[in-house]
Amino acid sequence: MHDLKFIRDQPEEFDRLMARRGYKNPSSHILFIDKKRRKLQTELQTLQARRNEASKQIGNIKSSEGNADELLNEVASIKQEMPKLELEVQRLAKEMNEFLISMPNILHEDVPEGINEEDNITLRQVGTIPSFNFTPLDHVALGEINKGLDFEAAAELSGSRFVVLKGQMARLERALASFMLDMHTQDFGYTEFLPPALVNTKTMTGTGQLPKFEDDLFKTTDGRWLIPTAEVPLTNLVANRILDIGELPLRMTAYTSCFRSEAGSAGRDTRGMIRQHQFSKVELVSITDPDESELELDRMTSVAESVLKKLELPYRIMKLCAGDTGFSAQQTNDIEVWLPGQDEGEGRYREISSCSNCGSFQARRMNARLRRTGNKETEFVHTLNGSALAVGRCIVAIIENGQQADGSILLPEALHSYMGIEKIG
């Protein structure tokens, strides 16, 4: 959500900033509606004042037994006119809100220009890409060899883009979730939550999933929505609250199932676990002082990195360009893990985490504020979110990077105690 006062005061600057998002002079439409609404609001207030004044005069005239017919007719006319104006003011306010809420966040000045992922910038590359004396397989083939990933059974149960994990692969999912949550809570000070997987429309709107991404979501018959990420319920825990500055930062983590219809990705990544309708993720959410959010983004990115380092997986950090930055984000750091089995054994990097600073964008939608010590005025908090990590893609990375010539899979040392074994297969 955007600050209407900023748009009124600096329309040219707002248009310049939104041009990076592909919007051409949106302030003209916003200010046109705003001017019309304010004009009608003034007319309504004038009528209300005149009605009150005339009603008082009528009382005085009647008390002196005078004739108040003219004033009575005027008040009756005003009472007929006011509901029409009120409805029009409400209509314009709704039109303004719908337009503002459909517009993406303003990008941070550090976000590089660009159109798509080809224009993202590599910040750093970490770890050694493994070399094999054989052509590495992808996780689908390895899952079949080890009888741990069953896509055919899932298709019978649910359709395409689902998987059944069995035996040691199912245990690996559970081990990874416990490993990540233990790291975040014990090493980095996050508080663990277990939020609902079903939320209402207001909650989805608060973090920016609605109305923009309705087609990518699953909706129940009673009007609830399946969460696409734990970011949605976790961030909304501060909706309509005024936090004391001493409470910040709030750092939350949760392991949940996530659900996405993937309506905009038809034909992409149809093989395997890369892009599914249901997947699991460990999410990080921070609620911060606006002055600290940029540092918090760096911290959150490093926390997600720490998971990959302990799992001994090679990765790189990407700064997303303007055209690839998500709707609610000011800026985003993507973490891409190396998957040697992709592209028929040629290998490629694939996203396993996105860490984003949303600034006050979500807070305005949720009305989440803070009050500094000694101040009566409040201000909007800043919100951040990041995956640490997407569990399914982490399984893919472990399987493909740890594969051996016989199809077995060496597990990272950090998981030995969680798995009770050192190798799958």
Side-chain angles (χ1 to χ4, degrees):
M1 198 71 169
H2 295 283
D3 183 358
L4 186 55
K5 185 178 183 301
F6 170 69
I7 299 171
R8 288 174 185 153
D9 293 345
Q10 301 183 60
E12 295 86 0
E13 177 64 7
F14 179 72
D15 287 343
R16 183 188 71 82
L17 294 170
M18 292 308 298
R20 301 188 69 198
R21 287 287 202 172
Y23 284 75
K24 185 177 180 180
N25 302 327
S27 69
S28 59
H29 181 64
I30 295 168
L31 295 179
F32 173 78
I33 299 173
D34 183 50
K35 183 178 180 180
K36 190 174 180 181
R37 182 187 63 82
R38 295 170 81 184
K39 180 176 180 292
L40 291 178
Q41 186 70 49
T42 300
E43 290 179 15
L44 183 60
Q45 290 169 350
T46 300
L47 285 176
Q48 287 171 332
R50 177 54 190 157
R51 180 196 61 187
N52 294 340
E53 181 186 8
S55 297
K56 186 176 180 181
Q57 290 173 345
I58 290 169
N60 292 335
I61 291 172
K62 285 186 175 182
S63 64
S64 61
E65 299 182 354
N67 187 335
D69 288 350
E70 187 176 340
L71 285 173
L72 286 168
N73 289 335
E74 183 183 357
V75 169
S77 177
I78 290 173
K79 286 182 177 179
Q80 281 188 327
E81 183 66 21
M82 284 180 61
K84 298 175 187 176
L85 284 175
E86 287 170 347
L87 285 174
E88 184 62 10
V89 168
Q90 290 170 9
R91 187 193 69 78
L92 290 169
K94 182 181 178 183
E95 183 180 348
M96 169 76 77
N97 184 68
E98 288 176 350
F99 188 77
L100 287 174
I101 212 166
S102 70
M103 299 182 69
N105 201 352
I106 291 172
L107 296 171
H108 192 278
E109 58 185 10
D110 289 345
V111 173
E113 295 299 333
I115 299 172
N116 53 40
E117 61 184 20
E118 301 298 324
D119 299 314
N120 296 337
I121 293 175
T122 303
L123 297 180
R124 55 187 175 275
Q125 190 168 311
V126 181
T128 302
I129 292 174
S131 60
F132 301 91
N133 57 8
F134 57 91
T135 301
L137 301 175
D138 72 358
H139 65 284
V140 178
L142 291 164
E144 184 177 345
I145 290 170
N146 289 281
K147 298 180 172 58
L149 304 178
D150 195 333
F151 295 96
E152 290 184 7
E156 288 293 325
L157 294 171
S158 307
S160 62
R161 298 200 179 194
F162 291 91
V163 65
V164 173
L165 274 67
K166 300 186 295 184
Q168 293 171 337
M169 294 295 182
R171 186 183 181 92
L172 180 56
E173 160 98 15
R174 179 160 51 94
L176 279 167
S178 296
F179 164 70
M180 293 177 195
L181 288 172
D182 286 348
M183 274 191 67
H184 300 329
T185 56
Q186 296 171 16
D187 298 346
F188 299 110
Y190 287 83
T191 301
E192 183 178 348
F193 287 79
L194 184 57
L198 284 168
V199 297
N200 58 32
T201 296
K202 182 180 179 182
T203 300
M204 279 289 195
T205 303
T207 45
Q209 274 70 30
L210 289 176
K212 174 72 172 176
F213 301 107
E214 181 173 354
D215 291 342
D216 288 324
L217 304 170
F218 287 108
K219 188 177 184 180
T220 63
T221 54
D222 65 354
R224 294 184 177 88
W225 304 82
L226 286 164
I227 60 170
T229 165
E231 168 204 344
V232 176
L234 291 182
T235 308
N236 273 277
L237 287 174
V238 298
N240 298 309
R241 288 181 57 189
I242 299 176
L243 302 167
D244 185 85
I245 188 66
E247 298 179 69
L248 303 180
L250 295 176
R251 296 185 176 120
M252 299 174 272
T253 186
Y255 166 64
T256 65
S257 292
C258 304
F259 306 87
R260 298 180 187 177
S261 73
E262 299 291 353
S265 61
R268 293 175 58 199
D269 299 316
T270 55
R271 178 176 168 83
M273 294 174 62
I274 295 296
R275 196 178 299 276
Q276 296 197 297
H277 292 312
Q278 178 183 335
F279 58 97
S280 299
K281 189 152 64 83
V282 175
E283 188 74 0
L284 305 177
V285 166
S286 294
I287 313 296
T288 73
D289 179 339
D291 296 337
E292 302 295 328
S293 67
E294 289 189 42
L295 290 175
E296 187 69 13
L297 178 60
D298 292 339
R299 183 185 192 274
M300 182 177 284
T301 304
S302 71
V303 170
E305 278 189 87
S306 296
V307 178
L308 289 169
K309 287 177 180 176
K310 285 201 172 185
L311 294 176
E312 305 164 43
L313 294 171
Y315 65 92
R316 66 183 184 183
I317 308 292
M318 309 295 291
K319 171 71 76 175
L320 298 196
C321 70
D324 203 28
T325 300
F327 179 84
S328 295
Q330 281 188 341
Q331 57 178 325
T332 298
N333 295 329
D334 265 11
I335 304 179
E336 298 179 345
V337 68
W338 177 255
L339 302 181
Q342 301 295 294
D343 296 343
E344 299 181 348
E346 293 294 322
R348 64 181 293 197
Y349 285 102
R350 294 303 301 260
E351 176 202 333
I352 197 168
S353 170
S354 282
C355 296
S356 298
N357 183 1
C358 298
S360 62
F361 184 79
Q362 292 177 326
R364 288 182 185 279
R365 298 167 78 105
M366 299 185 304
N367 192 31
R369 294 167 289 162
L370 70 87
R371 179 178 285 119
R372 299 186 185 277
T373 305
N375 285 5
K376 291 184 179 180
E377 298 297 320
T378 62
E379 58 187 287
F380 291 105
V381 298
H382 279 194
T383 63
L384 301 94
N385 62 80
S387 307
L389 301 164
V391 178
R393 293 192 179 191
C394 205
I395 290 174
V396 171
I398 288 170
I399 291 173
E400 294 193 6
N401 282 278
Q403 64 181 292
Q404 304 299 298
D406 62 356
S408 63
I409 299 153
L410 291 182
L411 294 170
E413 185 177 350
L415 293 180
H416 290 176
S417 61
Y418 288 90
M419 289 289 292
I421 54 175
E422 297 181 6
K423 183 171 74 169
I424 290 175

